[in-house]
Amino acid sequence: MGRTAPTPDLKELVAETDLGARTLGGAAGRLVFAVALGWSLFQLWYASPLPFALGWGVLNDTEARSLHLAIALFLAYLCYPARRASPRDRAPWHEWLLAAAASFAGAYFLLFYAELATRPGKPIAADIATASVGLVLLLEATRRTVGAPMAVLALVFLAYIMFGRYLPDVLAHKGASWERMLSHQWLTTEGVFGVALGVSTTYIFIYVLFGALLDRGGAGNYMMQVSFALLGHLRGGPAKVAVVSSALNGLISGSSVSNVVSGGIFTIPLMKRAGYGGVKAGAIETASSVTGQIMPPVMGAAAFLMVEYVGIPYSDVIKHAFLPALISYIALFYIVHLEALKLGLAPMVAARVRPLREKLLGWAFGVSGTLAVCGGVYFVAQATKAVLGAAAPWVLAFLLAALYVLTVRVAARSPDLPPDIDVERPMLPETWPTVKAGLHFLIPIGVLVWCLMIEEMSPALSAFWAVAAMIGLMLTQRPLVAFFRGSGNYAAAAREGAREVLEGLVAGARNMIGIAIATGTAGIIVGAITLTGLGFRMTDFVEFVSQGNVVAMLLFTALVCLVLGLGVPTTANYILVATLMAPVIVELAAQSGLVVPLIAVHLFVFYYGIMGDITPPVGLATFAAAAISGEDAIKTGLQGAVYALRTVILPFVFVFNPALLLIDVESVWELLLVASSATAASLAFAAATIGWFRDRCRAWEIALLLFATFALFRPDFFMDRLYPKYVELPARELSRLAAELPEGGRLVLVIEGTNVEGEEVRKTVAVALGKPGEARARLAEAGITVAALGDEVRIAAVRFGSRAKKAGFEQGWRIAAVKVPTDRPSEHWVYLPAAGLLALLWFAQGARMRRATRAA
């Protein structure tokens, strides 16, 4: 009694968004189950080292993409009904025909790979017929799984290929024949089977599968219970639980809607009971869940795409994205606290009465124990590798298994976690017993982080080992708990664990249907851009719209992302805008003399893309939250957009101040300084948007908060007005500087040359250099070869796909100058007056509150 469960409408929304609303029974249902299970097993095989170790079942990238799309298309037609009125418990006969035809077209590359390789650019009638059917059926599958807007957008780009010759000169191109369009889109890796689908095949599936297994194994509920145990007794506790649990779920989940529903069915009613009201409760849950998409390592699948588009290791993507995501969650936590203060809310659950000394000792032991365990694991692992060499992996696996058994033993001695939170009569669980009850869930997550960050394995292989650890955990945790408790019935416990593994594998596959279809359709758009040369025309168009102003250009790009986000899922939105706009921003900024790191531009595009999940009138996450709260979705979305402002400003900050992405941060102290000042800035901005600091803010106080926010986020703005940031040295100094730069240091050059339109262009470009060494070798590793003719130095070659190429370096252009930082005072000195301003405002409001109290 008193517990809230998802309503049928909510289940339908989640199904339509993530899983497919059709549930087949009988033989058809078993077939879908088997295909989904087989898809997950294939992806595990593809991500594992087994094919190469055994010399069997090795597929090249194109073949794997073909099979990936074929299975996704087959499941799309069987799991997603054509219309709302279509049957949900069976698939009509024509759906089976469409599923078979679509899967054949998707698998065409796999089935006839050798034949297609012998006739590149010369398709036969069967190729054209298959590509035609495949495109049509892919677009229909897109309409079903992702929504009509994306299918229509893809059709617009296909029409642009065919009829672009009739458009005005600024957008016109030579046009293409039907055969050339189909060959480019379906029979090469430039269109549907391009980079986006490749990332879905190689990376995204295995991480989505990991998240599905964690949730099915009980990790999601564990994170919710731990959050409630830690924060449920605070003022506005349910809202803070929503923020923290969404941040934890965001580590492993890439779906805003499922995040809202899984946590919101408990937190939204609790927030309403606490006094937030339905609109604010729904908006807080929406803002929390959507922000989960910017939380590494999964990041709504965009992190893996950035690896391909930016050309940096996955570990670097995580490093750059982590601090802004953390700051965004800290600011949201502060926002819900300020809302609680404004509304005068009291804690809805009584806190456990403990002396302050006992609380401090508990936190000290908890933090120090966690650090000691992490440090111990690290040093034991490193020592084992150093001593045992090739035998180390086996020993480490044994030690990990022993640690797992120990944590399960600890969990078995703790009370079982409740399956949910009692909304009507919430009881605050004991913190430490709640934490102990699921410590073993941290092991697969630890395996993932270790493989990624310490062993520096590929993202796919790291996720494979994490999934393997999670499957092992799910198969054994119940029998082990039964053993340690002496309850017997091990066979039933083992069967339950096996059932959960199978359900997790199938759920992961069904979660991937829409993502795979979306990345394939995004390939249509990317293919249209590469076939027509639209990317080059966009530079002129955006320069015309922005008149060369970088801020105006970024505002225009943000607007494009928001508009696309209303009807296109986050992953597809990112692919489209990253392909079309990111290179334009880097190019035009370079021509303005501003060095914008490529990762900053891609994160900018991604951040604004996810805002579509909140922004009215479409925002699916908002509709899910409104369905739980029973409030108007538009009002919920507007309130959520206000809460999201603290995330909206971050992309503008890290474009102009890359230190927020830990770029050019050279020491631990500088890292701490940048992180603390950016956090303080975000909190000040949150207070300004809410209109509450210690007390209700007056207009001039909000203005001071905004000024302090700007100073803390952009200290270089003020220092640049006093001292130049760079000094230009002659190009002949290039070799010396390239040899002296530390690892990761950025080489900044001014280059001049003629662009493809025949115009003389001067721009500033930068590229990060790798490990220290001889200058020529370091430049070659970054993708540059230079040639010196007297005092003149030219870029002799730029390697395709290299960091230098993606940063805007141009072959044959002259290096006009090398830019080096000036010896000016640190821009961090600006933090002092900004912090003083915040302190002054804090004490001023405190004095006003005391006067009001005395007057009352």
Side-chain angles (χ1 to χ4, degrees), residues 361-392:
L361 282 175
W363 277 102
F365 279 122
V367 173
S368 60
T370 301
L371 293 176
V373 169
C374 293
V377 168
Y378 176 79
F379 285 114
V380 167
Q382 296 294 67
T384 303
K385 290 195 296 182
V387 173
L388 299 179

PDB file of all heavy atoms in Angstrom, residues 361-392:
ATOM      1  N   LEU A 361      32.671  11.874  12.559  1.00  0.00           N
ATOM      2  CA  LEU A 361      33.474  10.656  12.518  1.00  0.00           C
ATOM      3  C   LEU A 361      32.959   9.700  11.445  1.00  0.00           C
ATOM      4  O   LEU A 361      33.744   9.056  10.739  1.00  0.00           O
ATOM      5  CB  LEU A 361      33.443   9.970  13.887  1.00  0.00           C
ATOM      6  CG  LEU A 361      34.344  10.563  14.971  1.00  0.00           C
ATOM      7  CD1 LEU A 361      34.124   9.859  16.302  1.00  0.00           C
ATOM      8  CD2 LEU A 361      35.815  10.458  14.563  1.00  0.00           C
ATOM      9  N   GLY A 362      31.628   9.619  11.307  1.00  0.00           N
ATOM     10  CA  GLY A 362      31.046   8.740  10.294  1.00  0.00           C
ATOM     11  C   GLY A 362      31.463   9.157   8.896  1.00  0.00           C
ATOM     12  O   GLY A 362      31.870   8.319   8.084  1.00  0.00           O
ATOM     13  N   TRP A 363      31.360  10.457   8.619  1.00  0.00           N
ATOM     14  CA  TRP A 363      31.777  10.944   7.298  1.00  0.00           C
ATOM     15  C   TRP A 363      33.276  10.766   7.091  1.00  0.00           C
ATOM     16  O   TRP A 363      33.727  10.392   5.994  1.00  0.00           O
ATOM     17  CB  TRP A 363      31.388  12.416   7.143  1.00  0.00           C
ATOM     18  CG  TRP A 363      29.975  12.606   6.732  1.00  0.00           C
ATOM     19  CD1 TRP A 363      28.917  12.970   7.517  1.00  0.00           C
ATOM     20  CD2 TRP A 363      29.445  12.412   5.419  1.00  0.00           C
ATOM     21  NE1 TRP A 363      27.761  13.015   6.776  1.00  0.00           N
ATOM     22  CE2 TRP A 363      28.056  12.685   5.486  1.00  0.00           C
ATOM     23  CE3 TRP A 363      29.999  12.040   4.204  1.00  0.00           C
ATOM     24  CZ2 TRP A 363      27.225  12.600   4.381  1.00  0.00           C
ATOM     25  CZ3 TRP A 363      29.172  11.952   3.093  1.00  0.00           C
ATOM     26  CH2 TRP A 363      27.802  12.223   3.190  1.00  0.00           C
ATOM     27  N   ALA A 364      34.050  11.036   8.130  1.00  0.00           N
ATOM     28  CA  ALA A 364      35.508  10.897   7.998  1.00  0.00           C
ATOM     29  C   ALA A 364      35.893   9.455   7.696  1.00  0.00           C
ATOM     30  O   ALA A 364      36.710   9.183   6.799  1.00  0.00           O
ATOM     31  CB  ALA A 364      36.192  11.365   9.282  1.00  0.00           C
ATOM     32  N   PHE A 365      35.287   8.508   8.434  1.00  0.00           N
ATOM     33  CA  PHE A 365      35.591   7.097   8.172  1.00  0.00           C
ATOM     34  C   PHE A 365      35.096   6.675   6.800  1.00  0.00           C
ATOM     35  O   PHE A 365      35.754   5.897   6.094  1.00  0.00           O
ATOM     36  CB  PHE A 365      34.960   6.221   9.256  1.00  0.00           C
ATOM     37  CG  PHE A 365      35.758   6.161  10.529  1.00  0.00           C
ATOM     38  CD1 PHE A 365      35.199   6.548  11.732  1.00  0.00           C
ATOM     39  CD2 PHE A 365      37.078   5.715  10.521  1.00  0.00           C
ATOM     40  CE1 PHE A 365      35.935   6.509  12.902  1.00  0.00           C
ATOM     41  CE2 PHE A 365      37.815   5.665  11.693  1.00  0.00           C
ATOM     42  CZ  PHE A 365      37.252   6.064  12.890  1.00  0.00           C
ATOM     43  N   GLY A 366      33.922   7.178   6.414  1.00  0.00           N
ATOM     44  CA  GLY A 366      33.378   6.806   5.108  1.00  0.00           C
ATOM     45  C   GLY A 366      34.264   7.282   3.967  1.00  0.00           C
ATOM     46  O   GLY A 366      34.608   6.510   3.063  1.00  0.00           O
ATOM     47  N   VAL A 367      34.651   8.572   4.017  1.00  0.00           N
ATOM     48  CA  VAL A 367      35.471   9.136   2.941  1.00  0.00           C
ATOM     49  C   VAL A 367      36.865   8.522   2.943  1.00  0.00           C
ATOM     50  O   VAL A 367      37.387   8.101   1.895  1.00  0.00           O
ATOM     51  CB  VAL A 367      35.547  10.671   3.080  1.00  0.00           C
ATOM     52  CG1 VAL A 367      36.535  11.237   2.073  1.00  0.00           C
ATOM     53  CG2 VAL A 367      34.171  11.290   2.886  1.00  0.00           C
ATOM     54  N   SER A 368      37.476   8.466   4.133  1.00  0.00           N
ATOM     55  CA  SER A 368      38.834   7.918   4.197  1.00  0.00           C
ATOM     56  C   SER A 368      38.846   6.437   3.837  1.00  0.00           C
ATOM     57  O   SER A 368      39.765   5.958   3.170  1.00  0.00           O
ATOM     58  CB  SER A 368      39.416   8.121   5.602  1.00  0.00           C
ATOM     59  OG  SER A 368      38.609   7.461   6.571  1.00  0.00           O
ATOM     60  N   GLY A 369      37.806   5.699   4.251  1.00  0.00           N
ATOM     61  CA  GLY A 369      37.735   4.283   3.900  1.00  0.00           C
ATOM     62  C   GLY A 369      37.588   4.080   2.408  1.00  0.00           C
ATOM     63  O   GLY A 369      38.231   3.193   1.825  1.00  0.00           O
ATOM     64  N   THR A 370      36.761   4.918   1.763  1.00  0.00           N
ATOM     65  CA  THR A 370      36.595   4.822   0.314  1.00  0.00           C
ATOM     66  C   THR A 370      37.905   5.104  -0.407  1.00  0.00           C
ATOM     67  O   THR A 370      38.304   4.368  -1.321  1.00  0.00           O
ATOM     68  CB  THR A 370      35.514   5.810  -0.162  1.00  0.00           C
ATOM     69  OG1 THR A 370      34.287   5.514   0.500  1.00  0.00           O
ATOM     70  CG2 THR A 370      35.320   5.714  -1.669  1.00  0.00           C
ATOM     71  N   LEU A 371      38.591   6.186   0.017  1.00  0.00           N
ATOM     72  CA  LEU A 371      39.872   6.515  -0.609  1.00  0.00           C
ATOM     73  C   LEU A 371      40.907   5.417  -0.368  1.00  0.00           C
ATOM     74  O   LEU A 371      41.690   5.077  -1.266  1.00  0.00           O
ATOM     75  CB  LEU A 371      40.383   7.851  -0.055  1.00  0.00           C
ATOM     76  CG  LEU A 371      39.552   9.094  -0.417  1.00  0.00           C
ATOM     77  CD1 LEU A 371      40.116  10.324   0.281  1.00  0.00           C
ATOM     78  CD2 LEU A 371      39.550   9.309  -1.924  1.00  0.00           C
ATOM     79  N   ALA A 372      40.896   4.851   0.852  1.00  0.00           N
ATOM     80  CA  ALA A 372      41.865   3.796   1.166  1.00  0.00           C
ATOM     81  C   ALA A 372      41.620   2.555   0.315  1.00  0.00           C
ATOM     82  O   ALA A 372      42.563   1.948  -0.197  1.00  0.00           O
ATOM     83  CB  ALA A 372      41.778   3.446   2.652  1.00  0.00           C
ATOM     84  N   VAL A 373      40.340   2.192   0.145  1.00  0.00           N
ATOM     85  CA  VAL A 373      40.024   1.022  -0.673  1.00  0.00           C
ATOM     86  C   VAL A 373      40.429   1.255  -2.122  1.00  0.00           C
ATOM     87  O   VAL A 373      41.054   0.393  -2.760  1.00  0.00           O
ATOM     88  CB  VAL A 373      38.522   0.676  -0.568  1.00  0.00           C
ATOM     89  CG1 VAL A 373      38.126  -0.363  -1.616  1.00  0.00           C
ATOM     90  CG2 VAL A 373      38.189   0.168   0.824  1.00  0.00           C
ATOM     91  N   CYS A 374      40.067   2.442  -2.669  1.00  0.00           N
ATOM     92  CA  CYS A 374      40.437   2.744  -4.063  1.00  0.00           C
ATOM     93  C   CYS A 374      41.952   2.744  -4.237  1.00  0.00           C
ATOM     94  O   CYS A 374      42.484   2.175  -5.206  1.00  0.00           O
ATOM     95  CB  CYS A 374      39.859   4.096  -4.471  1.00  0.00           C
ATOM     96  SG  CYS A 374      38.044   4.119  -4.573  1.00  0.00           S
ATOM     97  N   GLY A 375      42.657   3.383  -3.287  1.00  0.00           N
ATOM     98  CA  GLY A 375      44.119   3.399  -3.372  1.00  0.00           C
ATOM     99  C   GLY A 375      44.709   2.005  -3.243  1.00  0.00           C
ATOM    100  O   GLY A 375      45.648   1.646  -3.966  1.00  0.00           O
ATOM    101  N   GLY A 376      44.149   1.211  -2.326  1.00  0.00           N
ATOM    102  CA  GLY A 376      44.641  -0.150  -2.151  1.00  0.00           C
ATOM    103  C   GLY A 376      44.449  -0.994  -3.400  1.00  0.00           C
ATOM    104  O   GLY A 376      45.353  -1.732  -3.813  1.00  0.00           O
ATOM    105  N   VAL A 377      43.262  -0.886  -4.013  1.00  0.00           N
ATOM    106  CA  VAL A 377      42.998  -1.633  -5.241  1.00  0.00           C
ATOM    107  C   VAL A 377      43.988  -1.229  -6.328  1.00  0.00           C
ATOM    108  O   VAL A 377      44.551  -2.086  -7.033  1.00  0.00           O
ATOM    109  CB  VAL A 377      41.545  -1.403  -5.709  1.00  0.00           C
ATOM    110  CG1 VAL A 377      41.339  -1.930  -7.131  1.00  0.00           C
ATOM    111  CG2 VAL A 377      40.566  -2.068  -4.758  1.00  0.00           C
ATOM    112  N   TYR A 378      44.229   0.081  -6.452  1.00  0.00           N
ATOM    113  CA  TYR A 378      45.142   0.562  -7.494  1.00  0.00           C
ATOM    114  C   TYR A 378      46.554   0.026  -7.281  1.00  0.00           C
ATOM    115  O   TYR A 378      47.176  -0.522  -8.209  1.00  0.00           O
ATOM    116  CB  TYR A 378      45.145   2.082  -7.502  1.00  0.00           C
ATOM    117  CG  TYR A 378      46.125   2.682  -8.489  1.00  0.00           C
ATOM    118  CD1 TYR A 378      45.812   2.755  -9.843  1.00  0.00           C
ATOM    119  CD2 TYR A 378      47.357   3.153  -8.062  1.00  0.00           C
ATOM    120  CE1 TYR A 378      46.708   3.283 -10.754  1.00  0.00           C
ATOM    121  CE2 TYR A 378      48.260   3.688  -8.961  1.00  0.00           C
ATOM    122  CZ  TYR A 378      47.932   3.755 -10.314  1.00  0.00           C
ATOM    123  OH  TYR A 378      48.827   4.274 -11.203  1.00  0.00           O
ATOM    124  N   PHE A 379      47.060   0.150  -6.059  1.00  0.00           N
ATOM    125  CA  PHE A 379      48.459  -0.243  -5.826  1.00  0.00           C
ATOM    126  C   PHE A 379      48.623  -1.765  -5.883  1.00  0.00           C
ATOM    127  O   PHE A 379      49.641  -2.256  -6.369  1.00  0.00           O
ATOM    128  CB  PHE A 379      48.939   0.311  -4.481  1.00  0.00           C
ATOM    129  CG  PHE A 379      49.206   1.782  -4.513  1.00  0.00           C
ATOM    130  CD1 PHE A 379      48.423   2.659  -3.777  1.00  0.00           C
ATOM    131  CD2 PHE A 379      50.223   2.306  -5.299  1.00  0.00           C
ATOM    132  CE1 PHE A 379      48.657   4.027  -3.823  1.00  0.00           C
ATOM    133  CE2 PHE A 379      50.466   3.670  -5.353  1.00  0.00           C
ATOM    134  CZ  PHE A 379      49.680   4.523  -4.614  1.00  0.00           C
ATOM    135  N   VAL A 380      47.644  -2.512  -5.401  1.00  0.00           N
ATOM    136  CA  VAL A 380      47.731  -3.974  -5.504  1.00  0.00           C
ATOM    137  C   VAL A 380      47.739  -4.399  -6.973  1.00  0.00           C
ATOM    138  O   VAL A 380      48.524  -5.262  -7.387  1.00  0.00           O
ATOM    139  CB  VAL A 380      46.559  -4.638  -4.749  1.00  0.00           C
ATOM    140  CG1 VAL A 380      46.447  -6.119  -5.122  1.00  0.00           C
ATOM    141  CG2 VAL A 380      46.753  -4.489  -3.250  1.00  0.00           C
ATOM    142  N   ALA A 381      46.866  -3.782  -7.770  1.00  0.00           N
ATOM    143  CA  ALA A 381      46.802  -4.129  -9.195  1.00  0.00           C
ATOM    144  C   ALA A 381      48.104  -3.784  -9.901  1.00  0.00           C
ATOM    145  O   ALA A 381      48.638  -4.585 -10.690  1.00  0.00           O
ATOM    146  CB  ALA A 381      45.630  -3.410  -9.857  1.00  0.00           C
ATOM    147  N   GLN A 382      48.630  -2.585  -9.642  1.00  0.00           N
ATOM    148  CA  GLN A 382      49.871  -2.182 -10.301  1.00  0.00           C
ATOM    149  C   GLN A 382      51.049  -3.051  -9.852  1.00  0.00           C
ATOM    150  O   GLN A 382      51.903  -3.421 -10.670  1.00  0.00           O
ATOM    151  CB  GLN A 382      50.156  -0.705 -10.002  1.00  0.00           C
ATOM    152  CG  GLN A 382      49.121   0.267 -10.568  1.00  0.00           C
ATOM    153  CD  GLN A 382      49.094   0.293 -12.084  1.00  0.00           C
ATOM    154  OE1 GLN A 382      48.717  -0.685 -12.734  1.00  0.00           O
ATOM    155  NE2 GLN A 382      49.491   1.407 -12.664  1.00  0.00           N
ATOM    156  N   ALA A 383      51.085  -3.370  -8.567  1.00  0.00           N
ATOM    157  CA  ALA A 383      52.173  -4.220  -8.071  1.00  0.00           C
ATOM    158  C   ALA A 383      52.077  -5.627  -8.665  1.00  0.00           C
ATOM    159  O   ALA A 383      53.097  -6.233  -9.017  1.00  0.00           O
ATOM    160  CB  ALA A 383      52.120  -4.289  -6.543  1.00  0.00           C
ATOM    161  N   THR A 384      50.871  -6.143  -8.777  1.00  0.00           N
ATOM    162  CA  THR A 384      50.679  -7.475  -9.366  1.00  0.00           C
ATOM    163  C   THR A 384      51.161  -7.499 -10.809  1.00  0.00           C
ATOM    164  O   THR A 384      51.829  -8.444 -11.247  1.00  0.00           O
ATOM    165  CB  THR A 384      49.194  -7.878  -9.291  1.00  0.00           C
ATOM    166  OG1 THR A 384      48.764  -7.847  -7.929  1.00  0.00           O
ATOM    167  CG2 THR A 384      48.983  -9.271  -9.851  1.00  0.00           C
ATOM    168  N   LYS A 385      50.816  -6.456 -11.579  1.00  0.00           N
ATOM    169  CA  LYS A 385      51.262  -6.393 -12.975  1.00  0.00           C
ATOM    170  C   LYS A 385      52.783  -6.287 -13.068  1.00  0.00           C
ATOM    171  O   LYS A 385      53.414  -6.891 -13.954  1.00  0.00           O
ATOM    172  CB  LYS A 385      50.600  -5.205 -13.685  1.00  0.00           C
ATOM    173  CG  LYS A 385      49.114  -5.395 -13.919  1.00  0.00           C
ATOM    174  CD  LYS A 385      48.571  -4.401 -14.918  1.00  0.00           C
ATOM    175  CE  LYS A 385      48.671  -2.985 -14.423  1.00  0.00           C
ATOM    176  NZ  LYS A 385      48.100  -2.009 -15.396  1.00  0.00           N
ATOM    177  N   ALA A 386      53.375  -5.516 -12.158  1.00  0.00           N
ATOM    178  CA  ALA A 386      54.834  -5.332 -12.206  1.00  0.00           C
ATOM    179  C   ALA A 386      55.578  -6.613 -11.848  1.00  0.00           C
ATOM    180  O   ALA A 386      56.627  -6.918 -12.433  1.00  0.00           O
ATOM    181  CB  ALA A 386      55.240  -4.208 -11.255  1.00  0.00           C
ATOM    182  N   VAL A 387      55.030  -7.390 -10.911  1.00  0.00           N
ATOM    183  CA  VAL A 387      55.727  -8.577 -10.425  1.00  0.00           C
ATOM    184  C   VAL A 387      55.453  -9.797 -11.303  1.00  0.00           C
ATOM    185  O   VAL A 387      56.366 -10.557 -11.639  1.00  0.00           O
ATOM    186  CB  VAL A 387      55.328  -8.868  -8.967  1.00  0.00           C
ATOM    187  CG1 VAL A 387      55.912 -10.214  -8.509  1.00  0.00           C
ATOM    188  CG2 VAL A 387      55.809  -7.753  -8.055  1.00  0.00           C
ATOM    189  N   LEU A 388      54.200  -9.976 -11.700  1.00  0.00           N
ATOM    190  CA  LEU A 388      53.810 -11.224 -12.365  1.00  0.00           C
ATOM    191  C   LEU A 388      53.790 -11.138 -13.884  1.00  0.00           C
ATOM    192  O   LEU A 388      53.717 -12.168 -14.559  1.00  0.00           O
ATOM    193  CB  LEU A 388      52.435 -11.661 -11.856  1.00  0.00           C
ATOM    194  CG  LEU A 388      52.354 -11.958 -10.356  1.00  0.00           C
ATOM    195  CD1 LEU A 388      50.944 -12.354  -9.970  1.00  0.00           C
ATOM    196  CD2 LEU A 388      53.338 -13.063  -9.981  1.00  0.00           C
ATOM    197  N   GLY A 389      53.787  -9.932 -14.453  1.00  0.00           N
ATOM    198  CA  GLY A 389      53.842  -9.789 -15.897  1.00  0.00           C
ATOM    199  C   GLY A 389      52.644 -10.406 -16.598  1.00  0.00           C
ATOM    200  O   GLY A 389      51.497 -10.058 -16.316  1.00  0.00           O
ATOM    201  N   ALA A 390      52.884 -11.372 -17.484  1.00  0.00           N
ATOM    202  CA  ALA A 390      51.820 -11.954 -18.304  1.00  0.00           C
ATOM    203  C   ALA A 390      50.794 -12.705 -17.475  1.00  0.00           C
ATOM    204  O   ALA A 390      49.631 -12.858 -17.890  1.00  0.00           O
ATOM    205  CB  ALA A 390      52.419 -12.885 -19.351  1.00  0.00           C
ATOM    206  N   ALA A 391      51.173 -13.193 -16.298  1.00  0.00           N
ATOM    207  CA  ALA A 391      50.233 -13.939 -15.454  1.00  0.00           C
ATOM    208  C   ALA A 391      49.346 -13.027 -14.624  1.00  0.00           C
ATOM    209  O   ALA A 391      48.410 -13.503 -13.970  1.00  0.00           O
ATOM    210  CB  ALA A 391      51.014 -14.886 -14.536  1.00  0.00           C
ATOM    211  N   ALA A 392      49.621 -11.725 -14.634  1.00  0.00           N
ATOM    212  CA  ALA A 392      48.893 -10.792 -13.776  1.00  0.00           C
ATOM    213  C   ALA A 392      47.385 -10.794 -14.007  1.00  0.00           C
ATOM    214  O   ALA A 392      46.615 -10.751 -13.048  1.00  0.00           O
ATOM    215  CB  ALA A 392      49.468  -9.383 -13.939  1.00  0.00           C
TER     216      ALA A 392
END
